[in-house]
Amino acid sequence: MRDVEYDPQEESAYECFNCGTIVVEESCPRSCPDCGGSMRNRLTTFE
């Protein structure tokens, strides 16, 4: 459940799992521009 409205066209911050590089884009980049690692949306929690 979200307490803010979600706009899929809004830019989001994505963080690399490997090196921690942060990229702000409208859609999830396939891989990190620095190391090629997997990216995650920083607004999405993980355990």
Side-chain angles (χ1 to χ4, degrees):
M1 189 162 136
R2 296 179 181 264
D3 59 351
V4 295
E5 289 188 36
Y6 173 69
D7 180 1
Q9 299 302 316
E10 186 176 297
E11 289 186 337
S12 295
Y14 296 91
E15 181 177 13
C16 176
F17 279 111
N18 293 336
C19 70
T21 295
I22 297 173
V23 177
V24 177
E25 295 194 10
E26 288 184 8
S27 62
C28 185
R30 295 267 183 217
S31 60
C32 175
D34 291 339
C35 74
S38 298
M39 304 291 285
R40 75 167 185 97
N41 188 323
R42 295 188 79 206
L43 295 176
T44 304
T45 60
F46 64 95
E47 297 178 15

